[in-house]
Every structure is written in structure tokens, then in C-alpha cells.
Amino acid sequence: MKPIFSLFCTPLLLFGVSINSHISFTGEPTVSVRTITQAFNAIGYKLEIDTLDVQKNRGELSGSAIGNKIFNPTALSENLKEQGIRIEKAHLEKNILVMVLDTQSARWNIPLLGSDEGVELKRVNAAQWFRVEEGQHIRIEPPYTGKWYPDVCVLDVSMSLLSSFRSLEPKEELEFELPKGAYYLKISNAQGMKVLKEGMWIESMSPGR
């Protein structure tokens, strides 16, 4: 296989325009799509998916990668690898970026919320995601009383939902223990994240602390 950085050399790909893409992958579909999208985001491109065809643990997607900076194929290759994705093939075909990816070991490269650690989020306006480990005790607190309406999801490594909690009543804080198999934690606000203009505090703590 040719190195990916040798496969992109046309002016079309150098001026931050829309890049038509066709990507085939082998791996769990939800994780695959998220990790591929994240790899494009990391180099300043948004992957807008037009079609997605999934059959068990295989899939194909077509769409456009849109950015306002020079497209860097080497950086894309490195970010795919950081997500646990192996590039099997990559080439240009009639000005379309065609890639075949092995996503069986894909893991979304997001912050790990370690034991006895905390994270302060400031002026967040989108749902926040974290890597977690089962058995962790999570505590979430808004910056001021009565302004947070918890909308929390815990997912496993394949991004299947394990548990969730959504409240239409304001909470001062929320504490819970992650269930067996927990791998991803999604934290949002049932009334919209823009409510949390002052941010929030999230920590993993020892039970009973």
C-alpha cells in the first residue's frame, strides 16, 4: 500500500474546499462513524455524511469533507491511527477521496476521566463526552444552584446504551456509580447546553467520600 501522504497531491485537495469522500469500513458502525468523523474534525474538516449503508460490522459512507484550511493527508492518517483505525487503502478516484479502513479496534479519542480527578467545563454549549471505567463514582455539579437539568447517558465500548438519566426538574448535583461495561459518558442538559454559560464541574470520586 502506498503511504497515504503520497496519494494526495492535486490542487483540489490543497485549498480547503469540499472534498468528496467514499469510505468503506470494517468494525462496529456507531464507533466507526464517530471515530472517522473525529479524525477529520481534528485536522479542521467537518465530514458531512450524505449516505450510510451498514450491514452487521461492515459499512460504507459517502459525503463531503469541508474545511477552510489546507487539507493535510499525513495529519489525517495520524489522527485515524490515534483513534485505533488502520488504513488499508487510500487513493483519489475521479477527484473522490476513496478509503478502506479497518475500524475493528477503533476507540473514540476523547478525554479520560480518571479516578479521583475532576474536570471543570467553562461556557460549554454542546454535550460533553468522556472515557470512563466501570465502577467509578461520578459527581456532577453546576456552577450555581438550580440551573442544571441532568441529561446523562452511559454507554459501553460499542456505544450501546447501558443506562441514562434525564430530569425536567433542576438539580443541584448528581451522583451515580458507573455500571459494569461502562466505557463512554455523555453529559448534557435537558434544557439545552447554552443554559450552562458558566460551565460545570465533573469528578470521579471514591464512593462515600
Side-chain angles (χ1 to χ4, degrees):
M1 184 188 79
K2 296 181 181 179
I4 188 171
F5 57 80
S6 70
L7 301 174
F8 307 100
C9 57
T10 67
L12 173 66
L13 294 178
L14 297 180
F15 291 101
V17 296
S18 174
I19 303 170
N20 292 328
S21 306
H22 184 85
I23 302 173
S24 302
F25 59 84
T26 303
E28 203 287 323
T30 303
V31 177
S32 299
V33 173
R34 281 198 176 274
T35 50
I36 292 169
T37 300
Q38 175 66 17
F40 276 91
N41 289 345
I43 64 167
Y45 275 73
K46 180 180 180 182
L47 183 61
E48 295 189 349
I49 299 174
D50 297 324
T51 63
L52 175 62
D53 181 26
V54 173
Q55 296 182 356
K56 294 184 178 180
N57 284 339
R58 293 180 179 272
E60 294 185 9
L61 65 86
S62 295
S64 301
I66 302 172
N68 56 7
K69 58 191 296 185
I70 293 176
F71 180 76
N72 187 333
T74 302
L76 176 62
S77 174
E78 291 173 351
N79 277 282
L80 287 169
K81 291 178 181 178
E82 287 178 3
Q83 309 280 352
I85 297 174
R86 185 167 64 88
I87 302 172
E88 295 185 339
K89 295 180 181 178
H91 64 277
L92 284 175
E93 184 176 297
K94 297 180 180 179
N95 292 330
I96 298 176
L97 170 60
V98 178
M99 303 182 76
V100 178
L101 306 175
D102 181 348
T103 58
Q104 295 180 80
S105 298
R107 296 292 182 270
W108 198 13
N109 188 21
I110 52 179
L112 173 65
L113 187 60
S115 299
D116 295 319
E117 292 182 0
V119 176
E120 182 180 6
L121 303 177
K122 296 182 179 180
R123 303 186 69 84
V124 292
N125 57 14
Q128 302 296 301
W129 288 82
F130 296 93
R131 261 274 293 110
V132 292
E133 298 174 347
E134 61 183 59
Q136 285 179 277
H137 191 83
I138 304 297
R139 177 176 175 269
I140 306 171
E141 179 183 352
Y144 43 80
T145 303
K147 292 295 184 180
W148 186 48
Y149 301 78
D151 187 1
V152 176
C153 296
V154 181
L155 305 95
D156 66 12
V157 69
S158 297
M159 287 198 162
S160 297
L161 184 66
L162 295 177
S163 64
S164 64
F165 178 78
R166 192 171 192 269
S167 175
L168 297 179
E169 298 294 330
K171 301 290 184 182
E172 293 186 15
E173 64 178 24
L174 180 67
E175 291 191 25
F176 57 94
E177 186 170 321
L178 295 174
K180 183 178 180 180
Y183 198 88
Y184 296 107
L185 173 65
K186 177 186 177 183
I187 300 173
S188 188
N189 188 70
Q191 300 294 329
M193 290 300 288
K194 289 184 178 180
V195 172
L196 295 175
K197 293 181 180 179
E198 301 302 321
M200 63 198 316
W201 173 258
I202 305 164
E203 64 179 340
S204 173
M205 50 192 284
S206 302
R209 198 178 79 182

